[in-house]
Amino acid sequence: MTTTRTTIRELVRIPGGGRYALSATVEAATSGMLRPFIVIYAVLIGLSAWQAGMTLTVGMLAGLGAVPLAGWWIDRGARRAPAVAALLVRAAGSLLLALVPGIAGFVIGAVLIGVGTQIAPPTNSALVAALARPAQRTAALAAGRSLRNAGLGAGALLGTVLVASGPGALRWLALATALGCAFGAAVIARVPLPHHDVPAPAPTAASTEARGAGLRTVTVLPLAGIPYAFYADILEIALPLLLVQGLHASLAWPSGIFVANTVMVIALQLVLVVRLARWPHRTVLFWSGLLLAASYLAFWLGGAVGGVPGTVLVALVIAPHTLGEILYTGSSVPLVIESAPPHLMGRALARWQLSYGLARAVDPVIITGLLNLGAAALWPPLAAATLLGAATIRLGARRRMPARGRRSGGGRTVGDCTGTVALKGPGQAPAPRTETA
């Protein structure tokens, strides 16, 4: 039986995977200590909550400007260096928060943290893709996310305990975050890379048209994935507003839902991702969109029912919402990696991160603005947009089917962008699975 423990053990056994797992765990645990309190820290040094939020948004938008540079760096053949740089930039930002306890220190620190946060996902994905063989990548990426989720949860719990001693502890949490990121960078810098898994840079003689053609197959994925990216702030912004303001529930409800979501992700993510590895990633991403859209409509229904029944309904719907989140995070990045030509993987990951990061930067404003107009202004349009994204991803697979769906040798071929498997007639062994760009 596949379990979280056995899959993490497989990640550790990959050459360099143990050091990567150590780096991810330490970095997440120390970052989780500060992350829930960074706005409170800004208020304590003299900023308003709105100014703190705007500063953090500016930092995240500045980070988006660095994402294409990170993608170009990856396509030049770099794997460790971009991941190390992302951690060092975040360490520098956290160190500024700790050592310069003023508005200037917070603004510059927030920008550096935003840059490091935005370039971390593509650089980490590229590093894991270099460490793990293609058959291991999906599980390795999921194992890394599971370790980070567990680290963030443990760090947030420890930070909550430390902050109880007084607001002065926040500077120490920022210092701990800086040290954790620096430690993670030092560990990553010593990760051995299997050089045969790192594609060489594209030939300089390659034409611009050829490079563009190689990326056209993955350009639609970031666009279709924009509605998916709202899932996290639905949990952190929309549901608390729905429960507390709309349904007049106590603060224990959104807190309990957040904890339940975190526990479910940690417990089920690796199991589900590995079990669904036999399915094309595009199909899994499509079903993720259906689950998320259905949960949005159910949240809307819970708000319409009202009272205790509506509150209970919203709490129960967190289960399919979390399942949709797990399917999304487990299939989206692997789909981008396998859909892009190897020498353009960095730019493909950068495009994905640009769409995801932009959505995460603006969705707090969109969610709060639409909820201010009414529940019907948020939930049905968001469900429709997510369904549209899921349909676009599904239709993208079907457009690629005819070229790979030709009958051959008395069998039939099943395929999409993730690979092709030939199913032969009775008594014949299936043809080997071939990965395609």
Side-chain angles (χ1 to χ4, degrees), residues 30-381:
T30 53
S31 297
M33 294 169 66
L34 176 66
R35 196 162 132 179
F37 309 106
I38 191 167
V39 173
I40 298 175
Y41 177 79
V43 172
L44 289 176
I45 63 175
L47 276 72
S48 67
W50 181 84
Q51 289 172 328
M54 284 300 299
T55 301
L56 294 174
T57 297
V58 168
M60 295 295 283
L61 291 176
L64 287 179
V67 169
L69 177 61
W72 173 86
W73 196 1
I74 292 169
D75 287 340
R76 298 297 297 172
R79 289 299 180 267
R80 283 177 306 202
V84 170
L87 287 169
L88 290 179
V89 169
R90 288 175 56 198
S94 301
L95 191 62
L96 276 174
L97 295 184
L99 300 183
V100 186
I103 295 177
F106 181 83
V107 170
I108 300 174
V111 170
L112 291 176
I113 290 173
V115 171
T117 299
Q118 291 283 31
I119 66 176
T123 57
N124 283 323
S125 298
L127 178 60
V128 173
L131 293 176
R133 296 191 302 271
Q136 299 172 307
R137 284 175 186 167
T138 300
L141 287 166
R145 285 192 300 271
S146 183
L147 288 171
R148 281 194 167 83
N149 284 333
L152 286 170
L157 181 60
L158 178 58
T160 301
V161 173
L162 295 176
V163 167
S165 64
L170 291 173
R171 290 181 61 188
W172 291 104
L173 297 185
L175 181 60
T177 300
L179 293 175
C181 291
F183 175 83
V187 173
I188 289 294
R190 297 179 61 83
V191 168
L193 287 180
H195 296 288
H196 60 277
D197 281 344
V198 181
T204 55
S207 65
T208 303
E209 291 78 12
R211 292 195 296 270
L215 283 175
R216 271 195 286 271
T217 58
V218 294
T219 299
V220 68
L221 292 176
L223 297 177
I226 289 176
Y228 284 78
F230 278 67
Y231 79 90
D233 282 327
I234 289 298
L235 188 68
E236 298 179 12
I237 297 176
L239 288 188
L241 290 175
L242 170 63
L243 289 165
V244 176
Q245 293 186 357
L247 296 173
H248 307 291
S250 71
L251 289 173
W253 281 96
S255 176
I257 286 175
F258 185 85
V259 171
N261 169 266
T262 302
V263 171
M264 289 175 64
V265 168
I266 294 173
L268 300 177
Q269 181 170 248
L270 282 176
V271 176
L272 289 175
V273 168
V274 174
R275 293 272 178 142
L276 292 172
R278 70 191 69 177
W279 292 85
H281 290 130
R282 194 178 288 267
T283 300
V284 176
L285 190 56
F286 166 74
W287 282 103
S288 167
L290 296 187
L291 283 169
L292 290 174
S295 67
Y296 298 151
L297 293 177
F299 291 145
W300 183 37
L301 177 62
V305 170
V308 175
T311 302
V312 173
L313 176 60
V314 170
L316 292 176
V317 174
I318 200 62
H321 181 271
T322 302
L323 181 59
E325 171 189 344
I326 292 172
L327 298 187
Y328 165 70
T329 57
S331 60
S332 54
V333 172
L335 177 59
V336 173
I337 291 175
E338 69 188 13
S339 299
H343 66 281
L344 295 177
M345 182 178 64
R347 269 165 278 192
L349 288 170
R351 290 189 181 189
W352 177 262
Q353 179 61 23
L354 281 171
S355 67
Y356 177 82
L358 181 61
R360 290 300 309 276
V362 303
D363 63 17
V365 176
I366 294 176
I367 290 172
T368 53
L370 291 178
L371 277 179
N372 190 50
L373 298 176
L378 173 65
W379 300 114

